[in-house]
Amino acid sequence: MLREMATSHGRAPGGYLWAVIEPVAGIALMSLIFSVALRNPGLGVSFPLFYATGMLPFTLFAHLVGRIAQSLEFSRPLLAFPGVAWRDALLARFLLNLATQLMVSYLLFAGILLFYRTRAILDFQAIFEAYSLCALLALGFGTLNCLLQGLYPVWVHGWSILMRPMFIISTIFFLFESVPPPFRDWLWWNPLVHVIGILRRGIYPSYDASWASPGYVALLGLGTLAFGLLFLRRHHREILRR
């Protein structure tokens, strides 16, 4: 974890400030653009808060998956030591980057609630549920990607192609209910839509998101995690020899 801290942000000018500056700049830009075109956001009265509830969970998922997927490659020199297992590399990257993204979310939400009149009433149980599901989902897909990228390096490009439309179809800019059928039925299968819906339920008291299914997200996260761990146990030596 100390090695990860030093190499990820420790050597860059500004260090961990960039972990906060990047999402702040993204949310500010989206708020500026959409506030010109729209009178009100999809929920509430604050554009920054509405887009933060969509962008921050998406960023957490995408960042964690990318970091965990590179765990074996990143820690290859350390895995030569008998006391360091491949599971340690996965767990260290997951815990450190999760803590970083949670702190970023805390700082941004606290800043928005402090400096803007949002009329938000926080339900911490729903917020905790949303971030727990997002972390589990990212751990599952990150572990699975670690396996696939190690065995099939071309999968890096395949995952990158898949994630590009996800930024648009994960309800960051709009509400799930505003999508007309049958597209709404297809959108339901995107697990990030459920995570963002649950998070918005925890921030906007008038938003129910009864369609959101924590069980579906948890099942998908646990399934990909179990599949990835099972086959990494069998193939991690082969991946490290490449």
Side-chain angles (χ1 to χ4, degrees):
M1 291 177 70
L2 291 173
R3 180 171 178 264
E4 168 78 11
M5 291 174 65
T7 54
S8 59
H9 294 286
R11 296 177 183 175
Y16 271 86
L17 281 176
W18 287 108
V20 179
I21 293 173
E22 289 179 7
V24 166
I27 293 169
L29 182 60
M30 287 192 297
S31 300
L32 178 63
I33 293 172
F34 285 99
S35 64
V36 173
L38 303 173
R39 180 174 297 179
N40 293 307
L43 284 171
V45 296
S46 171
F47 281 95
L49 182 61
F50 180 73
Y51 295 124
T53 56
M55 188 172 178
L56 290 176
F58 179 88
T59 302
L60 185 147
F61 173 80
H63 183 84
L64 280 181
V65 170
R67 293 287 184 172
I68 296 170
Q70 299 171 353
S71 296
L72 296 188
E73 181 64 29
F74 178 81
S75 300
R76 188 186 297 269
L78 291 178
L79 295 177
F81 292 94
V84 182
W86 60 271
R87 293 178 294 273
D88 300 328
L90 290 173
L91 187 60
R93 281 212 130 187
F94 170 70
L95 291 177
L96 178 61
N97 287 283
L98 175 61
T100 301
Q101 292 302 311
L102 289 177
M103 183 56 64
V104 169
S105 293
Y106 172 76
L107 291 174
L108 264 66
F109 278 127
I112 291 171
L113 293 173
L114 181 63
F115 293 107
Y116 291 89
R117 205 177 98 185
T118 62
R119 301 178 186 172
I121 300 177
L122 303 184
D123 180 353
F124 290 101
Q125 181 177 349
I127 295 172
F128 177 79
E129 181 182 14
Y131 271 95
S132 298
L133 290 170
C134 192
L136 175 60
L137 192 68
L139 179 60
F141 276 94
T143 304
L144 182 60
N145 277 7
C146 185
L147 169 70
L148 294 175
Q149 290 182 20
L151 295 177
Y152 313 103
V154 72
W155 176 246
V156 176
H157 304 290
W159 179 255
S160 178
I161 292 171
L162 287 174
M163 284 301 293
R164 286 174 185 173
M166 287 290 286
F167 187 74
I168 300 173
I169 64 172
S170 294
T171 65
I172 296 173
F173 311 104
F174 53 90
L175 292 176
F176 175 79
E177 292 84 354
S178 66
V179 180
F183 304 106
R184 186 191 304 170
D185 298 331
W186 302 342
L187 199 62
W188 188 91
W189 296 101
N190 180 352
L192 288 174
V193 171
H194 297 260
V195 171
I196 292 173
I198 295 170
L199 179 60
R200 284 174 172 162
R201 179 201 296 163
I203 292 178
Y204 297 98
S206 61
Y207 189 60
D208 185 28
S210 57
W211 47 266
S213 174
Y216 167 66
V217 181
L219 184 63
L220 192 58
L222 290 172
T224 51
L225 177 60
F227 188 88
L229 289 175
L230 175 63
F231 285 94
L232 272 176
R233 183 180 180 184
R234 297 181 182 179
H235 297 287
H236 70 276
R237 291 187 181 89
E238 177 185 346
I239 293 173
L240 291 172
R241 283 196 299 266
R242 289 173 178 264

